[in-house]
Amino acid sequence: MNLHGIHLEGLRKRYGEGDTAVDALKGVDMEVSPGEVVGLIGPSGSGKSTLLKCLGAVIEPTGGRMRLGSEIIYDDRWHIRDLRALRRDQIGFVFQAPYLIPFLNVIDNVALLPMLAGRKNTAARDRAMELLEALDVAHRANAWPSQLSGGEQQRVAIARALVSHPPVILADEPTAPLDSERAMGVIRILNQMAEQYETAVIVVTHDEKIIPTFKRIYHIRDGRTHEEQGEGRLIA
Amino acid sequence: MISLAGRDIQHSWGKFVFTGIGLGLLIGVTLSMAGIYRGMVDDAKALLDNSGADMWVVQQSTLGPYAEPSSLKDDLYRSILTVPGVERAANVTYLTMQVRHGDRDVRAMVAGIVPDGIGSPGWPMTLIAGRQITRSHYEAVADAASGFKIGDQIKIRRNRYTVVGLTRRMVSSNGDPMIFIPLKDAQEAQFLKDNDEIIRQRQRTASNPALNPPGMPAVLQAVIDSQSTSPYVNAVLVRIKPGSRPDEIADTIRRWRRLQVYTRPQMEGILVGKLIATSARQIAMFLVILAVVSAAIVAFIIYTLTLGKIREIAVLKLIGTRNRTIAGMILQQAIGLGLIGFAVGRIAAGFWAPVFPKYVLLIPGDSVRGFFAVVIICSLASILAIRAALKVDPAEAIGG
C-alpha cells in the first residue's frame, strides 16, 4: 500500500537568464493524497507541462520543495541521486498519446519496466496480466499496439504506468484523443486504480468533459496554482 | 531479461531481412575479393607444388623464370646433375601466350618439358584424363581450365598440337591454365623467328663481310646454322636427394656454376611477395573501401531506424530505462543486421565463386575474420545512432 502522496511547496522554475529569463513556475503549492485523483487545468503556456516535467523529475526546478510522502526529493536541489530510478520506481506516466512500444505486444509493453529492472519475465507478465484484467483488456494481451483501438491503447498505457506500484501517476492529457465515452472510461479507470492501489494521480487536462469528474482541481495561471473543489461527478 | 533489439527485429523482420540481404551482397563481394587474393596465392603455390622442383636454377641477376625473363644454355643441367645432393635436373621453358583452338584464343602458360623424362621436375604430376606426352613433337597436355578436350587440335605459333592428356589445378601464378609441350617445340615457339625474319637475318648475315668472308662459304653456313637453333631454356628445375640440405646445394651451384638459384621458400617469396604484390595491394584497397562503404551503409540504416523510434526512446528514458539498455538495443540491432548480412554474403560468395574466371578460394579463416570484422564495423557504425538516442530528452515524451 502506498502512503506517500505528493507535496509541493513554493516550487519554482525559471528558463533562461538575465533579460530573457522566463518564470514558468512562480511558487506552486500542491498536495495530492494517496488514492486521490486531482485535475490540473490551465490555458496554454500557463506552466502545466513545466510542472509535470518537474514532478516527473525530468527537468530540475529552480527552487522550492517537493516531497514524496515524508521523503524530500527536492529542496532547492535534488536529494535523490538516481532520478532515473525515481522515475522508474516512484512515478507512473500516462501520455496524451499512449506511446506504446510498437514492436512489443500488449503484455510485454506493460511488463517491460519490471523486466528491464531485472524482475523475472514470468513474474513481470503475471503482474501485467493482473493489471490488464483489472483494466478489461486482458483479452488483447497478445495483440500488437497497432491492433488496438484508441481506448484500449490508453488502458494499456495506464496499466504500464501502474505496473511498478508507483505512489504517483502523472497523466498528461490522457483523454485528448478519445471521444466522450472513452474519455470517461479512462477517468473512471484512473479513479479505480488510484483507489485500489492508493496512488496519487495528477491529471493535466484541457478536456472540458472530464473536468467535472475531479473532486479537487488545481488551476494554474501565470505559473501559480489555485486550488478549488470540483464536482467529483463521475458518471457510472 | 527481454531483448528489445530481438523483439524489434522479430516485429520488423521484413525490413531487417531485406536490408540485411542488400548489405549481405556487399559483404559477399568483400569476401569474394579476399577469395580472389587467396586464389592468387594458392595458384602461385600450386605452380610451385606442381613443378615438382626443390629449387630453380635461373640466369644470374634475374628473378626468373616466373617473375622475370631468364635464359640459360640447355646443356647446363648436365653440370648441375654433378653437384652432390642433386637427384634430378630438367630443363624447362615457360611462355605465357595465346593458344588458338578453332576460332577462339585461350590465354595459357605454355611449359616446355623434356619428353623422355616422365616424373622429372616440370612434368604434370597427375592426369585426370588421357596420357603423358610420349612423342618428341606436337603433343600437348593441357589443364582442364583451358577448356580443351582429349584429341583437340591446338595451335601454338606455327605448329599444331594434339591434346593427349588433361590435368587439374595446373595454373600459372596469374591463374592461366598450363599447357605442356615437348621442350624442343617450346624452345622453337619461344626463341625461333618466323620465316620472313629468318630470310632477312640470313641476308643481313650474308652481307656482313666479317661473317661471310670472301672465298670461305663454310663460315657463313656455320653462322647461319648457329642462328637457326635455340639452345636456351628459362630454367633448370632441380630435385634434391632425400636428406640433402637445399641451402647448401643452392650455395654450391651459385658459387661454382655462377648461376642464380632459388629454393622453394625463396621462390614462394618471389611469387607472393613480388609477382602478386601489386594485385594484393589493389585488392586490399578494395577491401578497405568496401569495409568503409559497408560501415557507412550500416551506420545510415541504423541511424535512420533509430530516428524513427525517437519518441519511443524518449518514453523509454522517461519511464526509467537505463541508457545502456537503449544503447544495447541499438548495438544489438546493428550487429543483428551485420549477422544477417554476413550469412547472406557468405552464402552468396559461395554460390558465385565458381563462376569467376579465375580461382576464388574462400577459406574458413577469412570467413571467421570477416565475421569479426562485420561485428566490429557494425558496432562502430552504431555509435552515431547511439549518440542520437542518448541525446534524446525524456521530456520530449511529455507535451508542452
Side-chain angles (χ1 to χ4, degrees):
Chain A
M1 185 182 288
N2 292 313
L3 293 172
H4 292 309
I6 191 159
H7 312 266
L8 306 184
E9 295 166 33
L11 199 72
R12 298 188 307 279
K13 175 62 185 175
R14 170 175 286 188
Y15 290 109
E17 288 179 0
D19 293 342
T20 58
V22 175
D23 288 312
L25 301 178
K26 296 172 181 170
V28 170
D29 298 317
M30 182 184 270
E31 186 166 348
V32 187
S33 307
E36 189 182 17
V37 178
V38 301
L40 179 64
I41 60 176
S44 292
S46 58
K48 296 193 301 292
S49 292
T50 298
L51 179 56
L52 209 59
K53 287 171 186 172
C54 290
L55 288 167
V58 178
I59 59 172
E60 185 172 1
T62 314
R65 176 186 277 204
M66 190 155 56
R67 276 192 297 121
L68 211 57
S70 57
E71 187 184 6
I72 295 172
I73 59 172
Y74 183 85
D75 189 359
D76 289 330
R77 64 177 178 82
W78 289 116
H79 284 239
I80 301 281
R81 181 172 286 181
D82 189 352
L83 295 176
R84 182 192 55 76
L86 174 75
R87 290 200 298 271
R88 185 191 65 202
D89 301 331
Q90 307 282 336
I91 303 167
F93 293 91
V94 181
F95 309 102
Q96 184 171 341
Y99 297 139
L100 300 176
I101 307 299
F103 51 82
L104 297 179
N105 61 16
V106 163
I107 193 163
D108 284 342
N109 256 287
V110 178
L112 177 64
L113 211 49
M115 285 197 279
L116 289 177
R119 210 162 147 189
K120 280 188 176 175
N121 288 3
T122 47
R125 287 200 178 102
D126 287 347
R127 164 70 178 154
M129 203 59 186
E130 178 191 318
L131 285 165
L132 290 174
E133 278 167 5
L135 289 159
D136 202 22
V137 275
H139 61 291
R140 309 307 305 271
N142 293 313
W144 298 106
S146 59
Q147 295 170 323
L148 305 182
S149 68
E152 285 174 330
Q153 286 189 20
Q154 201 58 295
R155 276 184 278 165
V156 175
I158 293 168
R160 179 176 66 185
L162 285 164
V163 74
S164 298
H165 299 284
V168 176
I169 284 184
L170 304 175
D172 181 20
E173 310 238 24
T175 60
L178 304 177
D179 59 35
S180 299
E181 193 183 339
R182 289 199 174 96
M184 291 307 292
V186 167
I187 293 300
R188 199 176 301 118
I189 286 165
L190 283 173
N191 275 279
Q192 282 171 4
M193 296 296 117
E195 196 175 333
Q196 189 174 342
Y197 297 109
E198 295 287 344
T199 306
V201 180
I202 299 170
V203 180
V204 174
T205 187
H206 273 116
D207 194 345
E208 295 288 337
K209 58 187 175 284
I210 66 164
I211 291 172
T213 66
F214 300 117
K215 290 177 184 162
R216 276 198 310 134
I217 296 169
Y218 284 93
H219 287 273
I220 184 165
R221 191 182 296 272
D222 296 331
R224 287 194 174 83
T225 48
H226 310 279
E227 185 187 344
E228 71 173 44
Q229 290 301 307
E231 297 175 36
R233 186 157 43 84
L234 198 60
I235 300 162
Chain B
M1 175 81 105
I2 190 168
S3 164
L4 289 175
R7 291 302 189 86
D8 194 11
I9 291 173
Q10 202 178 350
H11 185 252
S12 326
W13 67 268
K15 187 165 56 180
F16 274 90
V17 166
F18 284 114
T19 310
I21 287 172
L23 180 65
L25 294 176
L26 194 63
I27 292 171
V29 172
T30 311
L31 289 174
S32 299
M33 294 300 291
I36 288 169
Y37 170 71
R38 295 291 179 196
M40 287 166 68
V41 172
D42 199 66
D43 281 347
K45 287 181 178 172
L47 176 64
L48 302 183
D49 290 339
N50 294 333
S51 72
D54 296 316
M55 55 183 66
W56 287 255
V57 180
V58 298
Q59 183 183 337
Q60 270 197 333
S61 307
T62 71
L63 296 171
Y66 310 115
E68 286 182 355
S70 158
S71 191
L72 298 174
K73 287 282 189 183
D74 61 5
D75 57 358
L76 266 173
Y77 81 97
R78 292 196 186 95
S79 65
I80 292 167
L81 274 172
T82 65
V83 175
V86 172
E87 185 181 69
R88 301 189 79 161
N91 288 326
V92 69
T93 64
Y94 294 111
L95 177 63
T96 300
M97 60 189 300
Q98 297 296 117
V99 175
R100 191 139 192 92
H101 175 236
D103 56 356
R104 73 182 177 101
D105 278 347
V106 175
R107 185 151 189 85
M109 186 161 93
V110 175
I113 52 174
V114 185
D116 59 353
I118 292 177
S120 68
W123 273 74
M125 293 171 120
T126 51
L127 301 183
I128 58 168
R131 60 169 173 80
Q132 294 280 9
I133 296 168
T134 54
R135 294 171 62 184
S136 300
H137 292 287
Y138 311 129
E139 284 189 344
V141 168
D143 187 80
S146 66
F148 301 151
K149 295 183 175 54
I150 302 289
D152 279 356
Q153 293 283 314
I154 58 175
K155 192 175 177 191
I156 297 172
R157 291 277 162 84
R158 287 176 293 178
N159 299 320
R160 289 186 177 280
Y161 296 79
T162 303
V163 177
V164 297
L166 292 175
T167 63
R168 179 168 287 154
R169 290 288 297 136
M170 299 288 277
V171 292
S172 74
S173 58
N174 282 330
D176 298 324
M178 290 180 76
I179 294 173
F180 298 87
I181 61 174
L183 183 70
K184 288 291 177 194
D185 291 349
Q187 285 175 308
E188 194 176 314
Q190 188 171 164
F191 298 108
L192 283 190
K193 300 170 178 65
D194 58 75
N195 290 340
D196 294 335
E197 182 55 29
I198 290 169
I199 291 167
R200 280 192 289 272
Q201 185 158 18
R202 282 179 183 170
Q203 287 169 346
R204 277 196 295 273
T205 307
S207 62
N208 186 340
L211 302 175
N212 187 13
M216 299 176 73
V219 174
L220 176 64
Q221 192 55 48
V223 172
I224 288 173
D225 285 349
S226 74
Q227 288 172 340
S228 305
T229 55
S230 55
Y232 292 98
V233 293
N234 296 130
V236 177
L237 304 183
V238 176
R239 187 178 300 152
I240 63 173
K241 289 176 182 163
S244 304
R245 300 180 65 174
D247 290 332
E248 284 178 7
I249 296 169
D251 274 346
T252 305
I253 297 171
R254 276 189 208 108
R255 188 178 303 159
W256 299 109
R257 304 292 184 268
R258 313 290 291 172
L259 295 164
Q260 180 65 54
V261 186
Y262 295 110
T263 58
R264 164 70 200 242
Q266 288 171 329
M267 188 52 83
E268 193 172 314
I270 289 169
L271 285 176
V272 177
K274 297 191 193 315
L275 205 59
I276 61 174
T278 309
S279 303
R281 280 199 295 275
Q282 184 97 333
I283 288 168
M285 196 66 213
F286 263 115
L287 287 175
V288 170
I289 290 169
L290 286 169
V292 171
V293 171
S294 304
I297 288 173
V298 174
F300 177 73
I301 292 166
I302 292 296
Y303 186 69
T304 309
L305 289 174
T306 303
L307 289 188
K309 288 197 286 272
I310 286 294
R311 180 66 86 168
E312 285 81 12
I313 289 169
V315 171
L316 284 171
K317 290 178 88 169
L318 182 68
I319 64 178
T321 307
R322 290 186 182 94
N323 276 345
R324 70 163 183 258
T325 303
I326 293 166
M329 175 179 78
I330 296 167
L331 179 66
Q332 285 169 35
Q333 283 185 342
I335 292 173
L337 194 61
L339 294 183
I340 294 170
F342 179 79
V344 170
R346 182 63 189 80
I347 292 166
F351 268 111
W352 65 46
V355 185
F356 275 74
K358 286 190 180 177
Y359 185 46
V360 178
L361 178 60
L362 301 170
I363 60 173
D366 281 347
S367 296
V368 172
R369 274 185 284 276
F371 174 82
F372 285 112
V374 165
V375 170
I376 291 168
I377 286 170
C378 289
S379 304
L380 292 174
S382 66
I383 289 173
L384 202 64
I386 289 172
R387 278 192 60 184
L390 296 187
K391 273 187 188 170
V392 173
D393 185 354
E396 283 182 29
I398 299 175

